[in-house]
Amino acid sequence: MADYYSVLGVERGADDKALKSAYRKLAMQYHPDRNPDNPSAEVKFKELNEAYDVLKDGNQRAAYDRVGHDAYTQSKQGGGRPGGGGGSGGFADIFEEMFGEMGGRRQRGGPQRGNDLRYNMEISLEDAYGGKQATIDVPTLAGCEVCHGSGASEGSSPTTCAMCHGQGRVRAQQGFFTVERTCPTCQGQGQTISDPCRSCHGQGRVRREKTLSVNIPAGVDDGTRIRLSGEGESGARGAPAGDLYIFLSIRTHAVFQREEANIFCEVPIPMVTAALGGAVEVPTIEGTRAKVTIPAGTQSGHQFRLRGKGMSRLHNRGFGDMYIEAKIETPVKLTKRQQELLREFEDAGQAGSNPHTEGFFKKVKEFLGGSAD
């Protein structure tokens, strides 16, 4: 896959607004619903989503810019969370400013707090509007049920490390300096286990999949982060667990486009309805229909505003608006009689019936040096 900026067709220094605009335009162009018989369009659509998912997030984008495309994508293949299986290297190095062990959150000695986890979740625009209760399965390191997280076999328990006296760190004098390093005997745990648990091999935790229920509030947007405290990896030998961060992305909709709390919808209007006036029914994001009155002489591109019919706002702060953009449709496959009627209509026309057309050609004539009359 090409560089993410190239996929979206933007410069490396593009701001969030430019990124979003480029993504929306291309996503609409390559959406599978609009290209049902074009497999390459589906591939392109997935590439667009992958690129935008990374670049729209400030931390991910900074990491991507820092290590480059190849290094980033290779490290990302290790899984959907930082740290892979061991909590160091790979994804953890890229996202160390975001998750668990970084920023001074590790203790200096003793059992270490578990890693934070990241889970990417894609939801529909309808789910973002109404909210939902979702169930997810997260691979993680959980406390061993056999030894209850101690790492020691039944009937025994960890003992304080004799070398570091439970500190997890040892000091050595080198000339005028005192150097502190991780205790080589207990590997920084502050405890040693003479008879390790056979189930977890003394680690106090085992790998398994955990099922969680997640409440997604109404009004969430792309990049919304939900934190589940204590639902990350269990800490070693009974230490506190890390947190789980759920990052949301909104699936592109086949009918609606979203900009913050507002909804936009392009609606085709028959030429006759646009000329004579009438009414059309349009869908709303809440699953109902709304009647829109079309005034006589409506032009393509005219927008109608439906107040309060847009997206929910987070924290029960009301709703946005919905904008209907008229797209005047020229009839095709006309019968002979319809063609005759249109010619009669054209012959019966009078000045001022097509003001935009007349105004345009008047300007053209002036531009070419002809008379304006």
Side-chain angles (χ1 to χ4, degrees), residues 20 48 50 88 91 119 123 127 188 215 243 254 263 326 334 353:
K20 188 171 185 178
L48 289 168
E50 179 181 332
S88 62
F91 230 29
Y119 186 93
I123 62 174
D127 290 336
N215 178 47
D243 299 329
I263 291 287
L334 299 176
S353 296

Side-chain angles (χ1 to χ4, degrees), residues 335-349:
T335 65
K336 186 176 181 179
R337 178 56 181 157
Q338 287 174 319
Q339 294 177 23
E340 292 173 352
L341 290 172
L342 282 178
R343 289 192 181 96
E344 291 178 16
F345 170 79
E346 183 180 28
D347 293 340

Side-chain angles (χ1 to χ4, degrees), residues 306-319:
L306 302 181
R307 293 182 181 276
K309 292 296 183 180
M311 289 294 295
S312 310
R313 299 181 190 272
L314 272 174
H315 311 303
N316 299 316
R317 295 189 290 114
F319 299 86

Side-chain angles (χ1 to χ4, degrees), residues 69-89:
H69 179 78
D70 292 338
Y72 182 91
T73 52
Q74 288 169 11
S75 63
K76 191 174 181 183
Q77 312 231 344
R81 65 174 185 86
S88 62

Side-chain angles (χ1 to χ4, degrees), residues 159-289:
T159 58
T160 300
C161 176
M163 175 171 281
C164 66
H165 306 289
Q167 297 299 310
R169 313 284 293 179
V170 292
R171 294 182 177 183
Q173 193 74 28
Q174 293 185 357
F176 293 102
F177 300 97
T178 300
V179 179
E180 186 179 78
R181 59 190 177 91
T182 301
C183 176
T185 300
C186 67
Q187 304 301 316
Q189 299 297 317
Q191 296 178 324
T192 57
I193 297 175
S194 58
D195 187 10
C197 170
R198 294 183 179 181
S199 177
C200 65
H201 306 289
Q203 296 300 310
R205 51 187 184 173
V206 293
R207 184 164 296 283
R208 68 177 177 85
E209 197 169 73
K210 182 164 55 174
T211 300
L212 298 171
S213 181
V214 183
N215 178 47
I216 300 174
V220 294
D221 203 345
D222 266 321
T224 297
R225 186 181 74 171
I226 298 175
R227 174 174 173 261
L228 300 184
S229 179
E231 295 295 352
E233 287 186 352
S234 293
R237 300 178 187 173
D243 299 329
L244 172 65
Y245 291 90
I246 299 174
F247 284 77
L248 300 178
S249 61
I250 311 299
R251 192 178 307 123
T252 302
H253 201 279
V255 176
F256 303 114
Q257 297 86 49
R258 176 184 183 179
E259 287 190 8
E260 297 181 348
N262 294 326
I263 291 287
F264 293 82
C265 180
E266 294 181 355
V267 178
I269 307 294
M271 182 184 70
V272 175
T273 303
L276 302 179
V280 295
E281 281 193 339
V282 297
T284 66
I285 189 63
E286 62 185 353
T288 61
R289 289 178 177 271

Side-chain angles (χ1 to χ4, degrees), residues 114-165:
N115 286 334
D116 291 341
L117 299 180
R118 176 190 176 111
Y119 186 93
N120 295 327
M121 179 186 293
E122 184 182 65
I123 62 174
S124 68
L125 190 63
E126 291 87 344
D127 290 336
Y129 169 80
K132 67 177 292 186
Q133 196 75 22
T135 300
I136 61 174
D137 295 319
V138 182
T140 184
L141 288 174
C144 176
E145 296 179 353
V146 176
C147 65
H148 306 290
S150 71
S153 63
E154 186 176 0
S156 65
S157 60
T159 58
T160 300
C161 176
M163 175 171 281
C164 66
H165 306 289

